[in-house]
Amino acid sequence: MSPLKIHYPNGQPYHYNKENYNSQSKEQSSNYSNRGMSLEKEINLTNKQYLDDNMAVIHKKPTPIQVVKVDYPKREAAKITEAYYRRSSTTDYNGVYKGYYLDFEAKETKNKTSFPLSNFHGHQINHMKKSVEHGGICFTILRFVTLDEIYLLSSEFLFKWWDQQYKEKGRKSIPLSAIKKENFLIEYGFNPRIPYLKIVDQFIESRK
Amino acid sequence: MSPLKIHYPNGQPYHYNKENYNSQSKEQSSNYSNRGMSLEKEINLTNKQYLDDNMAVIHKKPTPIQVVKVDYPKREAAKITEAYYRRSSTTDYNGVYKGYYLDFEAKETKNKTSFPLSNFHGHQINHMKKSVEHGGICFTILRFVTLDEIYLLSSEFLFKWWDQQYKEKGRKSIPLSAIKKENFLIEYGFNPRIPYLKIVDQFIESRK
């Protein structure tokens, strides 16, 4: 499958163009089990549930937008009339859980056998490496859209695969078999829908 | 001084209108010691320095913007043609330092004798209360623009003053004298300009 067909979550709108936009809508309506919901929306609902249950405070960061022109009409809200999506220098989600700093990215792919590393950008990986270095817990929530499977990838696993791509004969994508073997499948829940904190608990346990 | 003259940092653009916009530019150009730099810009430079020095990973969240209309020109970046500033449901800055989750807000006022609590919104206070409950370290960096003094207010201090305003005879602003007495003056540095992590170190020490 061509990398052009990768389905980016809404958190990465610098890839927005009409083609991606349409393929996304099509994807969403054809996928039954997640009821047309984007991964971003499901994670937002999950985070809201965690907040309501007083378990954690995790939010999606707003999409970075470069504002070029603003109108200031009298007695009305400022209206932005020219702006562009910018690439984020960090990840999409962060917050606090059990005293730990959590920081993660959500990605989707239509691929069925591997996850292309081109879904990440170097600055996102660097941000996660730095955050881990300072004691944060970082990971990736990854959905294989066509398979309808969601995995939680540890940062160690991701960094290992990211770094190998620059070596001789390095692979440009992570095989699904390796993802299955070394990571966590997240089973859909009712509320929260994507109960990723259960897996974070295992990371915290392994630190003790 | 009327609350309308409060100088909001750029992080709160839902207050943007021509009047505030102009008063802000004027303020910035008349203030010598911070060389016309907004508090936001100074904190961003500080955070960049902390990142470069590998001390902490702290970022300002992007300004939340509600996108209404987007053009998708052929072979060009998506152009947003109608959008509005939204109010943030959290604070402006967060990140990780020494394994701790940090979360803070930056505020400026032209007042000389007190800080009006109307500079905060209930959801920001709630967000900070929740974050503290889950083990985060929250605070406010507050600049008295006219006095050219910067204080770091602990979350305990802020919550106490926030809550008292709803009691009978509650005050709607925090007197400068109380701020001076119970909080930390931040001395300008060269690099980083606003060395707030020194004070965070004291919070961390007091937890041990």
Side-chain angles (χ1 to χ4, degrees):
Chain A
M1 189 170 279
S2 128
L4 275 171
K5 290 195 182 171
I6 293 159
H7 177 195
Y8 290 87
N10 292 335
Q12 298 212 321
Y14 47 88
H15 283 282
Y16 264 127
N17 57 43
K18 208 141 191 179
E19 187 189 321
N20 281 355
Y21 187 78
N22 287 345
S23 74
Q24 183 170 336
S25 313
K26 200 170 142 192
E27 183 56 46
Q28 289 182 354
S29 60
S30 68
N31 189 320
Y32 175 75
S33 76
N34 60 50
R35 293 181 190 84
M37 239 185 246
S38 70
L39 181 58
E40 176 184 325
K41 194 164 182 188
E42 291 199 308
I43 292 175
N44 288 346
L45 285 175
T46 297
N47 290 339
K48 189 183 176 304
Q49 190 65 41
Y50 282 143
L51 191 63
D52 292 347
D53 294 344
N54 202 20
M55 281 183 69
V57 183
I58 319 278
H59 287 277
K60 185 181 178 295
K61 292 182 199 168
T63 302
I65 288 173
Q66 179 74 44
V67 175
V68 177
K69 275 186 205 158
V70 187
D71 273 358
Y72 297 94
K74 276 185 189 170
R75 280 181 283 277
E76 274 176 54
K79 182 181 174 182
I80 298 162
T81 55
E82 185 181 348
Y84 300 92
Y85 292 110
R86 281 191 301 136
R87 178 171 292 183
S88 172
S89 57
T90 65
T91 47
D92 274 349
Y93 302 86
N94 71 3
V96 61
Y97 174 55
K98 292 184 177 175
Y100 290 93
Y101 172 76
L102 301 195
D103 192 301
F104 63 97
E105 189 64 30
K107 301 282 188 194
E108 293 181 277
T109 182
K110 288 188 190 171
N111 279 19
K112 291 171 191 169
T113 56
S114 69
F115 179 71
L117 288 160
S118 57
N119 276 275
F120 282 97
H121 299 279
H123 48 258
Q124 290 181 318
I125 303 288
N126 288 341
H127 170 77
M128 284 197 268
K129 282 182 175 176
K130 285 269 183 190
S131 299
V132 165
E133 200 180 331
H134 289 282
I137 296 174
C138 297
F139 51 91
T140 300
I141 294 176
L142 170 58
R143 174 190 274 161
F144 283 88
V145 176
T146 315
L147 307 174
D148 197 25
E149 288 179 353
I150 300 181
Y151 293 91
L152 190 145
L153 273 56
S154 72
S155 51
E156 292 78 6
F157 178 83
L158 177 65
F159 299 162
K160 182 180 73 183
W161 278 92
W162 179 263
D163 292 341
Q164 66 77 41
Q165 70 179 311
Y166 300 109
K167 293 176 184 159
E168 208 182 333
K169 294 181 184 169
R171 294 194 56 157
K172 297 295 176 201
S173 65
I174 313 176
L176 176 60
S177 56
I179 290 170
K180 272 182 198 281
K181 200 174 162 189
E182 297 179 53
N183 294 280
F184 301 86
L185 181 73
I186 306 182
E187 306 269 1
Y188 273 104
F190 176 62
N191 241 338
R193 291 177 67 82
I194 301 178
Y196 64 86
L197 286 182
K198 283 184 191 173
I199 296 160
V200 173
D201 279 336
Q202 297 186 43
F203 292 155
I204 292 173
E205 272 307 306
S206 70
R207 287 189 175 205
K208 286 177 183 167
Chain B
M1 189 171 276
S2 125
L4 275 172
K5 291 195 182 170
I6 293 158
H7 177 196
Y8 289 88
N10 290 336
Q12 298 212 322
Y14 48 88
H15 283 282
Y16 264 126
N17 57 44
K18 208 141 192 180
E19 187 189 322
N20 280 354
Y21 186 77
N22 288 344
S23 73
Q24 184 170 336
S25 312
K26 200 170 141 192
E27 184 54 47
Q28 289 182 355
S29 59
S30 68
N31 190 318
Y32 176 74
S33 76
N34 61 50
R35 294 182 190 83
M37 237 184 247
S38 71
L39 181 60
E40 177 184 324
K41 194 163 182 188
E42 291 198 308
I43 292 175
N44 289 347
L45 286 175
T46 297
N47 290 339
K48 189 182 177 304
Q49 190 65 40
Y50 282 143
L51 191 64
D52 291 347
D53 294 344
N54 201 21
M55 281 183 68
V57 183
I58 320 277
H59 288 276
K60 185 181 179 294
K61 294 182 197 167
T63 302
I65 289 174
Q66 179 73 44
V67 174
V68 177
K69 274 188 205 158
V70 187
D71 273 359
Y72 298 92
K74 275 185 189 171
R75 280 180 282 277
E76 275 175 53
K79 181 181 173 182
I80 298 162
T81 56
E82 185 181 349
Y84 300 92
Y85 292 111
R86 281 191 300 136
R87 179 171 291 183
S88 171
S89 57
T90 66
T91 47
D92 275 349
Y93 302 86
N94 72 3
V96 61
Y97 174 56
K98 292 184 177 175
Y100 290 93
Y101 172 75
L102 300 196
D103 192 303
F104 63 98
E105 189 62 31
K107 300 283 187 193
E108 293 182 278
T109 182
K110 288 188 191 172
N111 278 21
K112 291 170 191 171
T113 56
S114 69
F115 179 71
L117 288 160
S118 57
N119 275 276
F120 282 97
H121 299 279
H123 49 260
Q124 289 181 320
I125 303 288
N126 289 341
H127 170 75
M128 285 197 267
K129 283 182 175 178
K130 285 269 184 192
S131 298
V132 165
E133 200 179 331
H134 290 283
I137 295 175
C138 298
F139 52 92
T140 300
I141 294 176
L142 170 57
R143 174 190 274 160
F144 284 89
V145 176
T146 315
L147 307 174
D148 198 25
E149 288 179 353
I150 300 182
Y151 293 91
L152 190 146
L153 273 57
S154 73
S155 53
E156 292 76 6
F157 178 84
L158 178 65
F159 299 163
K160 183 180 71 181
W161 279 93
W162 178 263
D163 292 342
Q164 66 77 41
Q165 70 179 312
Y166 299 109
K167 292 177 186 162
E168 209 182 333
K169 295 182 185 170
R171 294 195 57 157
K172 297 295 176 201
S173 64
I174 314 176
L176 176 59
S177 57
I179 290 170
K180 272 183 199 276
K181 198 174 163 188
E182 298 179 53
N183 294 280
F184 301 86
L185 182 72
I186 306 182
E187 306 270 2
Y188 271 105
F190 175 62
N191 241 339
R193 291 179 67 82
I194 302 178
Y196 64 85
L197 287 182
K198 284 185 191 172
I199 296 161
V200 173
D201 280 335
Q202 298 187 39
F203 292 154
I204 293 173
E205 272 306 307
S206 70
R207 287 188 175 207
K208 284 176 183 167

